[in-house]
Amino acid sequence: MDLREDTNTAEAAEQSVFTAKLINVRPLVNMLKTIGFRPRAICTISTSGIVFTVEDAQCIVAQAYLRPTLFSIFDYNTQLAKELNMARLAEIDSEAHGEEVEAASEITQISLPLDNLIECLSLFYGPSGSSSLPGLSGSNQGGIQSTTAALGNQNPLDLRGATTAHIAFNGPGSDFELVLEERGTISMCRLATFIPEVPVDLEFSKFPTIQQLIIRSEWLRDAFNELDPTSDAVTLSISSTAPYFRISTIGNNGSTDMTYSKDEQILESFYCYEEQENRYKLSQILKCRQALAMSDKTKIRVNQRGFLSFQFMIPTDVDVSFVNFVYAPLLHADELGDDTMRYA
């Protein structure tokens, strides 16, 4: 980046609630794809980073956490964000208490089209990952305004296939702006943003965690590959005695049962305060497969109500990022008094 670019970035930061720069967008794209099973996401921006949240059927909540260290520039204008957010919150709820408004105004929260965001960030290399530099063009589709132009100056790092991105957001009602550059070609995209609905909170932390373990992701990937796809539910059991960790399904092809010992080569840590066995909808559990495929380790937690948390530790070029999935358990037939399955 030259001095002129530094000056332009500083001026933009003064006017924007949020500005950031990525040297390479691929880690961001990969993280967003892990939760891309829904078309829209809630984006929460704060001094701690960015969190993208999606939910499905009020029984699964997935979040991708992006810490500031992932970015070469990360500037969140707390004072401007507070001013804009407090004015908006006062309009929405004039009876809200001052302390509540003050706390809520410290973060910026918007709803945006996740599928379109991934599409924009992948513009230069496409879904297959191969570089595909476009020519001079412009478009406006599905809430995306995009302009692409070929410039004479080259990527100073000469990174083949490494797309840099400048991100800016000017506050509630503004577009989410992206400026992408690869080897002298620049594309500008604007995504429409919306006031988010109240997000679903499965309140995992509201009840104490009674079981926790960290497993090498390769073992969990093998287990998921063995699950019977005709099964409606998958059962997870964690016990203080052998078998310590068990995953099982029953489907048209028979039963599948996988058990794991407390061998340090498999389970890096293990904690079981109370033995419990819970069932979860298999089709929902499998939505985490992309995050699992990218991760090195997985932290599994179960709280007192049987809610399940998968936290995937995903390495990037500069840091370790996290993707978290929380699942509501299925109630057993004997609890319902019939043969149906419902969420707790």
Side-chain angles (χ1 to χ4, degrees), residues 6-83:
D6 280 328
T7 303
N8 292 339
T9 301
E11 291 176 354
E14 291 179 359
Q15 302 171 359
S16 301
V17 169
F18 172 65
T19 56
K21 180 184 177 182
L22 280 165
I23 297 298
N24 188 350
V25 301
R26 287 188 185 238
L28 174 57
V29 172
N30 290 338
M31 291 289 289
L32 294 178
K33 284 183 176 180
T34 65
I35 61 170
F37 56 89
R38 297 292 295 168
R40 187 171 295 278
I42 294 176
C43 175
T44 304
I45 309 171
S46 70
T47 55
S48 300
I50 310 176
V51 181
F52 288 90
T53 304
V54 299
E55 66 89 15
D56 188 28
Q58 297 188 335
C59 66
I60 171 177
V61 174
Q63 295 179 304
Y65 294 85
L66 309 172
R67 294 191 286 191
T69 50
L70 184 66
F71 302 83
S72 59
I73 296 174
F74 188 95
D75 189 340
Y76 181 63
N77 191 329
T78 307
Q79 185 57 42
L80 178 58
K82 279 187 175 183
E83 293 174 2

Side-chain angles (χ1 to χ4, degrees), residues 106-127:
E106 294 181 358
I107 64 172
T108 294
Q109 200 168 67
I110 56 175
S111 173
L112 50 73
L114 180 59
D115 50 358
N116 289 344
L117 176 58
I118 294 172
E119 180 183 351
C120 288
L121 291 170
S122 307
L123 186 63
F124 287 120
Y125 59 89

Side-chain angles (χ1 to χ4, degrees), residues 256-319:
T256 303
D257 195 85
M258 290 154 287
T259 59
Y260 300 88
S261 67
K262 287 200 296 184
D263 188 321
E264 292 183 357
Q265 298 298 317
I266 302 173
L267 301 182
E268 186 174 298
S269 69
F270 182 88
Y271 164 80
C272 180
Y273 176 77
E274 178 183 324
E275 295 185 6
Q276 196 177 89
E277 181 178 280
N278 295 286
R279 296 192 306 159
Y280 307 91
K281 192 171 182 62
L282 180 59
S283 61
Q284 297 287 16
I285 289 289
L286 294 179
K287 291 184 187 300
C288 74
R289 292 186 79 162
Q290 191 153 358
L292 175 61
M294 295 172 52
S295 66
D296 284 343
K297 301 175 183 178
T298 304
K299 178 188 286 186
I300 300 175
R301 294 179 296 155
V302 179
N303 73 7
Q304 204 168 45
R305 291 187 61 203
F307 282 71
L308 171 68
S309 167
F310 284 154
Q311 185 180 75
F312 301 101
M313 305 171 201
I314 299 176
T316 67
D317 293 338
V318 296
D319 200 0

